[in-house]
PDB file of all heavy atoms in Angstrom:
ATOM      1  N   HIS Z  88     -57.553  39.529  -0.170  1.00 96.00           N
ATOM      2  CA  HIS Z  88     -56.269  39.599   0.566  1.00 96.00           C
ATOM      3  C   HIS Z  88     -56.054  41.127   0.880  1.00 96.00           C
ATOM      4  O   HIS Z  88     -55.751  41.845  -0.152  1.00 96.00           O
ATOM      5  CB  HIS Z  88     -55.128  38.987  -0.074  1.00 96.00           C
ATOM      6  CG  HIS Z  88     -53.872  38.888   0.628  1.00 96.00           C
ATOM      7  ND1 HIS Z  88     -53.115  39.979   0.946  1.00 96.00           N
ATOM      8  CD2 HIS Z  88     -53.225  37.807   1.217  1.00 96.00           C
ATOM      9  CE1 HIS Z  88     -52.035  39.600   1.687  1.00 96.00           C
ATOM     10  NE2 HIS Z  88     -52.091  38.278   1.865  1.00 96.00           N
ATOM     11  N   PRO Z  89     -56.138  41.606   2.051  1.00 95.00           N
ATOM     12  CA  PRO Z  89     -56.080  43.075   2.173  1.00 95.00           C
ATOM     13  C   PRO Z  89     -54.921  43.786   1.669  1.00 95.00           C
ATOM     14  O   PRO Z  89     -54.890  44.723   1.055  1.00 95.00           O
ATOM     15  CB  PRO Z  89     -56.149  43.243   3.744  1.00 95.00           C
ATOM     16  CG  PRO Z  89     -55.816  41.962   4.350  1.00 95.00           C
ATOM     17  CD  PRO Z  89     -56.245  40.864   3.327  1.00 95.00           C
ATOM     18  N   THR Z  90     -53.622  43.182   1.886  1.00 95.00           N
ATOM     19  CA  THR Z  90     -52.315  43.767   1.380  1.00 95.00           C
ATOM     20  C   THR Z  90     -52.360  43.798  -0.141  1.00 95.00           C
ATOM     21  O   THR Z  90     -52.145  44.826  -0.756  1.00 95.00           O
ATOM     22  CB  THR Z  90     -51.175  43.077   1.969  1.00 95.00           C
ATOM     23  OG1 THR Z  90     -51.215  43.111   3.351  1.00 95.00           O
ATOM     24  CG2 THR Z  90     -49.895  43.667   1.379  1.00 95.00           C
ATOM     25  N   MET Z  91     -52.635  42.638  -0.705  1.00 97.00           N
ATOM     26  CA  MET Z  91     -52.539  42.535  -2.148  1.00 97.00           C
ATOM     27  C   MET Z  91     -53.719  43.335  -2.835  1.00 97.00           C
ATOM     28  O   MET Z  91     -53.459  43.898  -3.919  1.00 97.00           O
ATOM     29  CB  MET Z  91     -52.669  41.113  -2.624  1.00 97.00           C
ATOM     30  CG  MET Z  91     -51.388  40.298  -2.397  1.00 97.00           C
ATOM     31  SD  MET Z  91     -50.037  41.000  -3.307  1.00 97.00           S
ATOM     32  CE  MET Z  91     -50.495  41.117  -4.911  1.00 97.00           C
ATOM     33  N   LYS Z  92     -54.816  43.475  -2.218  1.00 97.00           N
ATOM     34  CA  LYS Z  92     -55.914  44.278  -2.731  1.00 97.00           C
ATOM     35  C   LYS Z  92     -55.454  45.737  -2.761  1.00 97.00           C
ATOM     36  O   LYS Z  92     -55.663  46.473  -3.756  1.00 97.00           O
ATOM     37  CB  LYS Z  92     -57.127  44.184  -2.055  1.00 97.00           C
ATOM     38  CG  LYS Z  92     -58.436  44.939  -2.542  1.00 97.00           C
ATOM     39  CD  LYS Z  92     -59.628  44.674  -1.818  1.00 97.00           C
ATOM     40  CE  LYS Z  92     -60.734  45.600  -2.411  1.00 97.00           C
ATOM     41  NZ  LYS Z  92     -61.032  45.328  -3.780  1.00 97.00           N
ATOM     42  N   GLY Z  93     -54.794  46.238  -1.717  1.00 96.00           N
ATOM     43  CA  GLY Z  93     -54.401  47.622  -1.644  1.00 96.00           C
ATOM     44  C   GLY Z  93     -53.273  47.905  -2.688  1.00 96.00           C
ATOM     45  O   GLY Z  93     -53.354  48.927  -3.226  1.00 96.00           O
ATOM     46  N   ILE Z  94     -52.411  46.901  -2.896  1.00 97.00           N
ATOM     47  CA  ILE Z  94     -51.344  47.155  -3.906  1.00 97.00           C
ATOM     48  C   ILE Z  94     -51.967  47.103  -5.303  1.00 97.00           C
ATOM     49  O   ILE Z  94     -51.650  47.961  -6.041  1.00 97.00           O
ATOM     50  CB  ILE Z  94     -50.216  45.988  -3.760  1.00 97.00           C
ATOM     51  CG1 ILE Z  94     -49.515  46.218  -2.526  1.00 97.00           C
ATOM     52  CG2 ILE Z  94     -49.319  45.998  -4.943  1.00 97.00           C
ATOM     53  CD1 ILE Z  94     -48.528  45.092  -2.125  1.00 97.00           C
ATOM     54  N   ALA Z  95     -52.794  46.141  -5.489  1.00 98.00           N
ATOM     55  CA  ALA Z  95     -53.373  46.069  -6.892  1.00 98.00           C
ATOM     56  C   ALA Z  95     -54.303  47.200  -7.312  1.00 98.00           C
ATOM     57  O   ALA Z  95     -54.379  47.701  -8.360  1.00 98.00           O
ATOM     58  CB  ALA Z  95     -54.245  44.740  -7.055  1.00 98.00           C
ATOM     59  N   ALA Z  96     -54.996  47.807  -6.275  1.00 98.00           N
ATOM     60  CA  ALA Z  96     -55.855  48.897  -6.521  1.00 98.00           C
ATOM     61  C   ALA Z  96     -55.006  50.129  -6.945  1.00 98.00           C
ATOM     62  O   ALA Z  96     -55.570  51.030  -7.548  1.00 98.00           O
ATOM     63  CB  ALA Z  96     -56.651  49.324  -5.207  1.00 98.00           C
ATOM     64  N   SER Z  97     -53.747  50.192  -6.563  1.00 97.00           N
ATOM     65  CA  SER Z  97     -52.937  51.389  -6.947  1.00 97.00           C
ATOM     66  C   SER Z  97     -52.330  51.271  -8.361  1.00 97.00           C
ATOM     67  O   SER Z  97     -51.703  52.157  -8.809  1.00 97.00           O
ATOM     68  CB  SER Z  97     -51.752  51.551  -5.956  1.00 97.00           C
ATOM     69  OG  SER Z  97     -50.814  50.494  -6.102  1.00 97.00           O
ATOM     70  N   LEU Z  98     -52.577  50.153  -8.987  1.00 98.00           N
ATOM     71  CA  LEU Z  98     -51.929  49.858 -10.240  1.00 98.00           C
ATOM     72  C   LEU Z  98     -52.844  50.097 -11.419  1.00 98.00           C
ATOM     73  O   LEU Z  98     -54.009  49.746 -11.451  1.00 98.00           O
ATOM     74  CB  LEU Z  98     -51.386  48.346 -10.337  1.00 98.00           C
ATOM     75  CG  LEU Z  98     -50.426  47.927  -9.252  1.00 98.00           C
ATOM     76  CD1 LEU Z  98     -50.124  46.464  -9.404  1.00 98.00           C
ATOM     77  CD2 LEU Z  98     -49.049  48.720  -9.280  1.00 98.00           C
ATOM     78  N   SER Z  99     -52.247  50.692 -12.521  1.00 98.00           N
ATOM     79  CA  SER Z  99     -52.946  50.805 -13.763  1.00 98.00           C
ATOM     80  C   SER Z  99     -52.766  49.601 -14.538  1.00 98.00           C
ATOM     81  O   SER Z  99     -51.844  48.647 -14.186  1.00 98.00           O
ATOM     82  CB  SER Z  99     -52.338  51.989 -14.569  1.00 98.00           C
ATOM     83  OG  SER Z  99     -51.040  51.772 -14.992  1.00 98.00           O
TER      84      SER Z  99
END
Side-chain angles (χ1 to χ4, degrees):
H88 189 288
T90 302
M91 284 304 303
K92 181 175 177 61
I94 289 171
S97 71
L98 301 175
S99 67

